[in-house]
């Protein structure tokens, strides 16, 4: 599958990483994650993928998204407002 952070960095090179840039990259990663989950759900809904395979694919994408967050050094806030 895809390494979203790496792909974005290759397509949009920046001279110096900044917290704002990292958040922008992660936002792009989340958008791609949501898009791919939508594709998988559609394939499952139309009988092209089994429920088990869909679950595994989505979990794999989730793990990649989590790894991109870690690689970018983005942490979740301790309190949600």
């Amino acid at each position: 599958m895809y390494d979203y952070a790496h792909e974005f960095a290759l397509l949009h090179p920046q001279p110096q990483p900044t917290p704002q840039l990292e958040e922008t990259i992660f936002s792009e990663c989340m958008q791609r994650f949501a898009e791919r989950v939508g594709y998988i759900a559609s394939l499952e809904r139309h009988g092209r993928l089994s429920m088990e395979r869909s679950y595994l694919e989505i979990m794999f994408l989730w793990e990649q998204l989590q790894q991109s967050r870690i690689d970018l050094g983005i942490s979740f806030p301790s309190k949600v407002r």
Side-chain angles (χ1 to χ4, degrees):
M1 285 292 183
Y2 293 97
D3 179 357
Y4 301 112
H6 181 70
E7 178 182 342
F8 187 89
L10 287 176
L11 295 174
H12 307 283
Q14 297 291 322
Q16 298 256 337
T18 62
Q20 186 179 25
L21 173 63
E22 291 167 347
E23 289 174 8
T24 301
I25 292 171
F26 188 64
S27 177
E28 175 71 21
C29 293
M30 287 191 300
Q31 289 174 12
R32 295 192 127 204
F33 169 79
E35 186 177 284
R36 295 195 183 282
V37 167
Y39 293 150
I40 292 168
S42 180
L43 289 170
E44 192 274 329
R45 190 170 35 248
H46 290 93
R48 303 285 186 198
L49 281 178
S50 69
M51 188 181 304
E52 293 81 16
R53 179 64 185 211
S54 299
Y55 174 80
L56 292 174
E57 292 287 334
I58 291 170
M59 287 307 298
F60 182 75
L61 292 174
W62 176 253
E63 289 170 5
Q64 284 187 321
L65 181 64
Q66 291 292 71
Q67 188 61 49
S68 68
R69 181 185 60 81
I70 292 166
D71 292 345
L72 290 167
I74 297 172
S75 61
F76 292 116
S78 58
K79 291 185 178 181
V80 178
R81 296 179 189 197

